[in-house]
mmCIF file of all heavy atoms in Angstrom:
data_model
loop_
_atom_site.group_PDB
_atom_site.id
_atom_site.type_symbol
_atom_site.label_atom_id
_atom_site.label_comp_id
_atom_site.label_asym_id
_atom_site.label_seq_id
_atom_site.Cartn_x
_atom_site.Cartn_y
_atom_site.Cartn_z
ATOM 1 N N THR A 1 -3.600 21.500 19.529
ATOM 2 C CA THR A 1 -2.590 22.545 19.593
ATOM 3 C C THR A 1 -1.189 21.967 19.678
ATOM 4 O O THR A 1 -0.229 22.660 19.985
ATOM 5 C CB THR A 1 -2.806 23.454 20.813
ATOM 6 O OG1 THR A 1 -2.779 22.652 21.996
ATOM 7 C CG2 THR A 1 -4.104 24.204 20.721
ATOM 8 N N LEU A 2 -1.033 20.700 19.386
ATOM 9 C CA LEU A 2 0.256 20.066 19.552
ATOM 10 C C LEU A 2 1.265 20.633 18.549
ATOM 11 O O LEU A 2 1.000 20.617 17.374
ATOM 12 C CB LEU A 2 0.126 18.557 19.334
ATOM 13 C CG LEU A 2 1.411 17.749 19.534
ATOM 14 C CD1 LEU A 2 1.885 17.862 20.975
ATOM 15 C CD2 LEU A 2 1.190 16.301 19.170
ATOM 16 N N SER A 3 2.358 21.133 19.035
ATOM 17 C CA SER A 3 3.375 21.673 18.145
ATOM 18 C C SER A 3 4.392 20.631 17.710
ATOM 19 O O SER A 3 5.314 20.930 16.990
ATOM 20 C CB SER A 3 4.109 22.834 18.837
ATOM 21 O OG SER A 3 4.759 22.370 19.999
ATOM 22 N N ALA A 4 4.202 19.397 18.155
ATOM 23 C CA ALA A 4 5.170 18.341 17.832
ATOM 24 C C ALA A 4 5.051 17.850 16.418
ATOM 25 O O ALA A 4 5.702 16.906 16.040
ATOM 26 C CB ALA A 4 4.990 17.167 18.812
ATOM 27 N N CYS A 5 4.206 18.486 15.618
ATOM 28 C CA CYS A 5 4.040 18.038 14.242
ATOM 29 C C CYS A 5 5.185 18.464 13.360
ATOM 30 O O CYS A 5 5.291 18.038 12.211
ATOM 31 C CB CYS A 5 2.733 18.578 13.665
ATOM 32 S SG CYS A 5 2.729 20.369 13.577
ATOM 33 N N ALA A 6 6.068 19.340 13.848
ATOM 34 C CA ALA A 6 7.179 19.774 13.025
ATOM 35 C C ALA A 6 7.990 18.585 12.589
ATOM 36 O O ALA A 6 8.163 17.624 13.312
ATOM 37 C CB ALA A 6 8.042 20.744 13.814
ATOM 38 N N SER A 7 8.491 18.637 11.381
ATOM 39 C CA SER A 7 9.225 17.519 10.816
ATOM 40 C C SER A 7 10.440 17.196 11.671
ATOM 41 O O SER A 7 11.181 18.091 12.088
ATOM 42 C CB SER A 7 9.660 17.826 9.372
ATOM 43 O OG SER A 7 8.528 18.017 8.570
ATOM 44 N N THR A 8 10.666 15.935 11.892
ATOM 45 C CA THR A 8 11.833 15.475 12.608
ATOM 46 C C THR A 8 12.782 14.823 11.646
ATOM 47 O O THR A 8 12.385 13.979 10.826
ATOM 48 C CB THR A 8 11.405 14.420 13.678
ATOM 49 O OG1 THR A 8 10.481 15.024 14.552
ATOM 50 C CG2 THR A 8 12.609 13.891 14.431
ATOM 51 N N PRO A 9 14.081 15.224 11.638
ATOM 52 C CA PRO A 9 15.003 14.630 10.690
ATOM 53 C C PRO A 9 15.010 13.110 10.796
ATOM 54 O O PRO A 9 15.006 12.539 11.884
ATOM 55 C CB PRO A 9 16.364 15.221 11.122
ATOM 56 C CG PRO A 9 16.006 16.483 11.863
ATOM 57 C CD PRO A 9 14.701 16.183 12.533
ATOM 58 N N THR A 10 14.974 12.453 9.657
ATOM 59 C CA THR A 10 14.964 10.993 9.622
ATOM 60 C C THR A 10 16.350 10.472 9.886
ATOM 61 O O THR A 10 17.316 10.848 9.200
ATOM 62 C CB THR A 10 14.460 10.488 8.270
ATOM 63 O OG1 THR A 10 13.150 11.018 8.052
ATOM 64 C CG2 THR A 10 14.417 8.976 8.239
ATOM 65 N N ARG A 11 16.490 9.606 10.887
ATOM 66 C CA ARG A 11 17.772 8.984 11.194
ATOM 67 C C ARG A 11 17.609 7.484 11.178
ATOM 68 O O ARG A 11 16.623 6.964 11.683
ATOM 69 C CB ARG A 11 18.263 9.457 12.561
ATOM 70 C CG ARG A 11 18.609 10.929 12.612
ATOM 71 C CD ARG A 11 19.060 11.333 14.001
ATOM 72 N NE ARG A 11 17.940 11.239 14.936
ATOM 73 C CZ ARG A 11 18.029 11.545 16.209
ATOM 74 N NH1 ARG A 11 19.159 11.933 16.734
ATOM 75 N NH2 ARG A 11 16.962 11.469 17.002
ATOM 76 N N LYS A 12 18.558 6.803 10.594
ATOM 77 C CA LYS A 12 18.512 5.368 10.576
ATOM 78 C C LYS A 12 18.700 4.826 11.973
ATOM 79 O O LYS A 12 19.666 5.137 12.667
ATOM 80 C CB LYS A 12 19.607 4.828 9.639
ATOM 81 C CG LYS A 12 19.528 3.330 9.428
ATOM 82 C CD LYS A 12 20.548 2.868 8.429
ATOM 83 C CE LYS A 12 20.437 1.357 8.195
ATOM 84 N NZ LYS A 12 21.439 0.884 7.203
ATOM 85 N N ALA A 13 17.749 4.018 12.396
ATOM 86 C CA ALA A 13 17.821 3.464 13.768
ATOM 87 C C ALA A 13 18.896 2.418 13.859
ATOM 88 O O ALA A 13 19.067 1.597 12.936
ATOM 89 C CB ALA A 13 16.490 2.848 14.122
ATOM 90 N N PRO A 14 19.642 2.427 14.946
ATOM 91 C CA PRO A 14 20.653 1.381 15.137
ATOM 92 C C PRO A 14 20.018 0.013 15.155
ATOM 93 O O PRO A 14 18.861 -0.145 15.559
ATOM 94 C CB PRO A 14 21.244 1.741 16.502
ATOM 95 C CG PRO A 14 20.906 3.184 16.736
ATOM 96 C CD PRO A 14 19.597 3.383 16.041
ATOM 97 N N HIS A 15 20.757 -0.983 14.726
ATOM 98 C CA HIS A 15 20.227 -2.328 14.701
ATOM 99 C C HIS A 15 19.963 -2.812 16.121
ATOM 100 O O HIS A 15 20.758 -2.584 17.030
ATOM 101 C CB HIS A 15 21.227 -3.260 14.015
ATOM 102 C CG HIS A 15 20.783 -4.697 13.989
ATOM 103 N ND1 HIS A 15 19.730 -5.130 13.239
ATOM 104 C CD2 HIS A 15 21.227 -5.772 14.688
ATOM 105 C CE1 HIS A 15 19.563 -6.431 13.429
ATOM 106 N NE2 HIS A 15 20.463 -6.851 14.320
ATOM 107 N N VAL A 16 18.845 -3.452 16.316
ATOM 108 C CA VAL A 16 18.474 -3.982 17.622
ATOM 109 C C VAL A 16 18.274 -5.475 17.500
ATOM 110 O O VAL A 16 17.489 -5.938 16.663
ATOM 111 C CB VAL A 16 17.180 -3.325 18.157
ATOM 112 C CG1 VAL A 16 16.768 -3.994 19.467
ATOM 113 C CG2 VAL A 16 17.368 -1.843 18.338
ATOM 114 N N THR A 17 18.980 -6.218 18.281
ATOM 115 C CA THR A 17 18.764 -7.659 18.327
ATOM 116 C C THR A 17 17.766 -7.950 19.430
ATOM 117 O O THR A 17 18.044 -7.709 20.611
ATOM 118 C CB THR A 17 20.081 -8.417 18.619
ATOM 119 O OG1 THR A 17 21.014 -8.083 17.567
ATOM 120 C CG2 THR A 17 19.838 -9.921 18.655
ATOM 121 N N ALA A 18 16.583 -8.408 19.059
ATOM 122 C CA ALA A 18 15.521 -8.569 20.027
ATOM 123 C C ALA A 18 15.552 -9.950 20.658
ATOM 124 O O ALA A 18 15.771 -10.952 19.982
ATOM 125 C CB ALA A 18 14.170 -8.373 19.328
ATOM 126 N N PRO A 19 15.318 -9.994 21.961
ATOM 127 C CA PRO A 19 15.153 -11.300 22.614
ATOM 128 C C PRO A 19 13.798 -11.888 22.223
ATOM 129 O O PRO A 19 12.983 -11.196 21.599
ATOM 130 C CB PRO A 19 15.180 -10.921 24.093
ATOM 131 C CG PRO A 19 14.683 -9.532 24.147
ATOM 132 C CD PRO A 19 15.148 -8.880 22.889
ATOM 133 N N PRO A 20 13.527 -13.125 22.550
ATOM 134 C CA PRO A 20 12.200 -13.696 22.264
ATOM 135 C C PRO A 20 11.110 -12.816 22.854
ATOM 136 O O PRO A 20 11.187 -12.409 24.006
ATOM 137 C CB PRO A 20 12.273 -15.082 22.919
ATOM 138 C CG PRO A 20 13.725 -15.384 22.982
ATOM 139 C CD PRO A 20 14.402 -14.084 23.207
ATOM 140 N N VAL A 21 10.073 -12.564 22.056
ATOM 141 C CA VAL A 21 8.996 -11.681 22.542
ATOM 142 C C VAL A 21 8.112 -12.409 23.540
ATOM 143 O O VAL A 21 7.930 -13.621 23.453
ATOM 144 C CB VAL A 21 8.155 -11.151 21.378
ATOM 145 C CG1 VAL A 21 8.986 -10.272 20.486
ATOM 146 C CG2 VAL A 21 7.531 -12.280 20.581
ATOM 147 N N GLY A 22 7.554 -11.654 24.453
ATOM 148 C CA GLY A 22 6.671 -12.229 25.469
ATOM 149 C C GLY A 22 5.331 -11.535 25.524
ATOM 150 O O GLY A 22 4.942 -10.844 24.615
ATOM 151 N N ARG A 23 4.656 -11.673 26.675
ATOM 152 C CA ARG A 23 3.338 -11.103 26.854
ATOM 153 C C ARG A 23 3.378 -9.627 27.189
ATOM 154 O O ARG A 23 2.412 -8.916 26.956
ATOM 155 C CB ARG A 23 2.592 -11.839 27.977
ATOM 156 C CG ARG A 23 2.258 -13.279 27.716
ATOM 157 C CD ARG A 23 1.666 -13.893 28.991
ATOM 158 N NE ARG A 23 0.474 -13.183 29.434
ATOM 159 C CZ ARG A 23 0.213 -12.903 30.692
ATOM 160 N NH1 ARG A 23 1.077 -13.191 31.647
ATOM 161 N NH2 ARG A 23 -0.931 -12.281 31.022
ATOM 162 N N ASN A 24 4.473 -9.170 27.788
ATOM 163 C CA ASN A 24 4.536 -7.771 28.238
ATOM 164 C C ASN A 24 4.396 -6.824 27.057
ATOM 165 O O ASN A 24 4.742 -7.142 25.924
ATOM 166 C CB ASN A 24 5.828 -7.517 28.996
ATOM 167 C CG ASN A 24 5.861 -8.269 30.323
ATOM 168 O OD1 ASN A 24 4.850 -8.822 30.743
ATOM 169 N ND2 ASN A 24 7.029 -8.303 30.959
ATOM 170 N N VAL A 25 3.911 -5.626 27.366
ATOM 171 C CA VAL A 25 3.598 -4.638 26.357
ATOM 172 C C VAL A 25 4.340 -3.349 26.632
ATOM 173 O O VAL A 25 4.255 -2.793 27.744
ATOM 174 C CB VAL A 25 2.079 -4.375 26.332
ATOM 175 C CG1 VAL A 25 1.729 -3.268 25.351
ATOM 176 C CG2 VAL A 25 1.321 -5.656 25.964
#
């Protein structure tokens, strides 16, 4: 019954500079 299926406007995500990845999730 999830109503969240309605289309969400596509927006370009701001650039993210990622630090070195680790074990955390």
Side-chain angles (χ1 to χ4, degrees):
T1 57
L2 183 64
S3 60
C5 63
S7 297
T8 301
T10 302
R11 293 179 292 180
K12 186 175 181 180
H15 177 71
V16 176
T17 301
V21 295
R23 294 174 58 222
N24 292 350
V25 175

